[in-house]
Amino acid sequence: MSDNIFAPLAEEDGTLARLHARLAATAEREGVLDVAYRTLDTPVGSLLLAATEQGLVRVAFSVQDHEAVLVKLATAVSPRVLEAPARLDQVAHQLDEYFGGKRDRFTVPLDLRLATGFRRAVVEHLPHIRYGGTESYAQVAAAAGSPKAVRAVGTACALNPVPVVVPCHRVVRSDGSMGGYAGGPDAKRTLLTLEAA
Amino acid sequence: MEPFERVVERHGAMVLRVVRAVLGPVDAEDAWSETFLAAMRAYPDLDDSANVEAWLVTIAHRKAIDVTRARARAPMPSAQLPERPSRTGRPDDWDADLWHALESLPDKQRAAVAYHYLAGLPYKEIAEITGGSTDAARRAAADGMKALRARYDTAGKSHV
């Protein structure tokens, strides 16, 4: 500002946060909030949770760079993106229960538009792997209808738009070793250990 | 395209100062909310090369006109300013005197002052928003600032 005569017009603490919350609520009510997001602190780090009006569209680990993920959502889904926690209340609550060992499945609506074709078939199969169990990439390939597409299963798991909630961490190598994970090996180990308890 | 959240984060404070200067404390927050809701609605169609500040101020300007018209149709029963918590503990905060000085300016001067000194827009952009020539916008801002300084000084004393 070039002139301090206007200093009294600057915001007081909390004014913009209050206006932002009001904007998020109005945008939701008016059907303008295409993508709502929040972050959640968990034992596998900060998770970005994003939902369309249809359902949960993206879960991302901090190693995936939340800001980059939001830019991709703005491009792939809609740029009408706001931090608006209310739409994520249910999934955040279920994740808290899951990490507390009190929940073995998620019942939130999913919007799987970011997974298409074979990747979609893999993502739709993953919830059938039971809590505490694992399947090999080859088993998942067979279940998704393409027994030879073992490598493609690896790619589909790596690109799972909603990890943790859709349990790609339950897919491991045929020799029993863990294999890769979008959230990093420590996150995968944490989840498998949690479920084995 | 950038997530709309970043637009709110980067420009929310500027728009708040602008609508406070143009509309005063009573209507500023409603105008802020309506500006950003309308902006969010239109955002997917915004040209990548557009000047986002100018775009937001254009929307805020229209919302301010709506508010001013509504106010003229249904005058408020009381011109009292609402009680608000002081920011610094000084009693002159959200300075009623500053608003009274701004309020006494002609609409075009008040808009030109706000859009130039608070939004940082060049006079050419201001002329496109308020109508008239670039020179007229420059004059309106200069005359507005002169009148403002004559009626209000930063020590908080009003001469209105």
Side-chain angles (χ1 to χ4, degrees):
Chain A
M1 212 179 304
S2 62
D3 202 309
N4 69 3
I5 191 172
F6 297 116
L9 300 175
E11 67 141 347
E12 311 79 12
D13 286 347
T15 301
L16 282 171
R18 181 166 47 77
L19 288 172
H20 183 289
R22 180 174 158 189
L23 174 65
T26 313
E28 175 80 271
R29 202 166 55 239
E30 300 268 321
V32 187
L33 182 55
D34 294 341
V35 179
Y37 75 89
R38 63 164 285 174
T39 55
L40 181 73
D41 287 328
T42 76
V44 292
S46 172
L47 291 181
L48 176 76
L49 311 172
T52 65
E53 287 185 327
Q54 284 77 52
L56 187 69
V57 72
R58 193 76 175 89
V59 174
F61 296 95
S62 56
V63 293
Q64 295 175 295
D65 186 350
H66 291 175
E67 197 51 44
V69 169
L70 288 172
V71 169
K72 278 188 199 149
L73 282 170
T75 307
V77 179
S78 163
R80 289 177 186 139
V81 179
L82 273 190
E83 184 169 6
R87 194 184 284 173
L88 289 314
D89 277 353
Q90 192 189 12
V91 68
H93 180 68
Q94 293 195 5
L95 281 162
D96 280 338
E97 290 180 335
Y98 168 80
F99 284 110
K102 298 188 196 86
R103 170 174 287 278
D104 63 8
R105 71 192 62 222
F106 293 92
T107 59
V108 295
L110 300 177
D111 179 346
L112 296 178
R113 73 174 82 189
L114 298 175
T116 54
F118 182 65
R119 285 176 49 204
R120 177 70 166 261
V122 170
V123 167
E124 285 178 348
H125 168 69
L126 295 175
H128 298 293
I129 311 175
R130 67 174 176 82
Y131 181 92
T134 57
E135 278 185 13
S136 69
Y137 291 96
Q139 282 173 304
V140 174
S146 303
K148 291 184 178 161
V150 179
R151 287 180 65 89
V153 167
T155 306
C157 287
L159 298 176
N160 172 13
V162 282
V164 184
V165 172
V166 166
C168 53
H169 57 274
R170 292 177 199 153
V171 185
V172 298
R173 293 209 179 109
S174 302
D175 65 7
S177 66
M178 264 193 343
Y181 191 55
D186 289 347
K188 190 166 188 173
R189 192 175 302 112
T190 301
L191 295 171
L192 291 173
T193 307
L194 166 77
E195 296 187 6
Chain B
M1 199 164 206
E2 233 185 2
F4 191 71
E5 177 71 25
R6 297 288 89 84
V7 174
V8 182
E9 188 177 270
R10 199 167 305 134
H11 304 294
M14 176 275 283
V15 171
L16 184 62
R17 288 193 296 268
V18 165
V19 291
R20 281 178 168 181
V22 171
L23 288 170
V26 176
D27 296 312
E29 294 194 1
D30 284 347
W32 189 98
S33 299
E34 285 176 28
T35 297
F36 276 100
L37 185 67
M40 189 169 172
R41 216 184 274 284
Y43 185 56
D45 298 322
L46 181 67
D47 197 283
D48 277 346
S49 62
N51 174 341
V52 177
E53 286 95 334
W55 175 67
L56 287 169
V57 170
T58 304
I59 298 170
H61 181 72
R62 288 194 212 114
K63 295 298 173 192
I65 290 172
D66 292 347
V67 169
T68 310
R69 281 188 189 140
R71 212 196 259 156
R73 278 197 301 271
M76 297 281 283
S78 160
Q80 288 281 312
L81 294 175
E83 294 277 335
R84 10 183 98 230
S86 168
R87 186 169 59 255
T88 61
R90 281 185 288 120
D92 54 349
D93 260 351
W94 213 111
D95 200 315
D97 290 340
L98 175 59
W99 169 237
H100 288 317
L102 282 161
E103 197 180 20
S104 69
L105 301 179
D107 288 352
K108 279 228 164 160
Q109 289 186 12
R110 189 164 66 252
V113 165
Y115 303 162
H116 185 70
Y117 290 96
L118 296 171
L121 298 188
Y123 295 117
K124 185 171 172 298
E125 302 263 14
I126 295 171
E128 278 166 24
I129 293 169
T130 60
S133 67
T134 302
D135 280 345
R138 184 182 293 112
R139 267 197 311 277
D143 292 347
M145 276 308 285
K146 201 172 150 197
L148 202 56
R149 286 189 197 288
R151 291 165 201 179
Y152 175 86
D153 66 40
T154 48
K157 277 181 290 183
S158 170
H159 310 299
V160 176

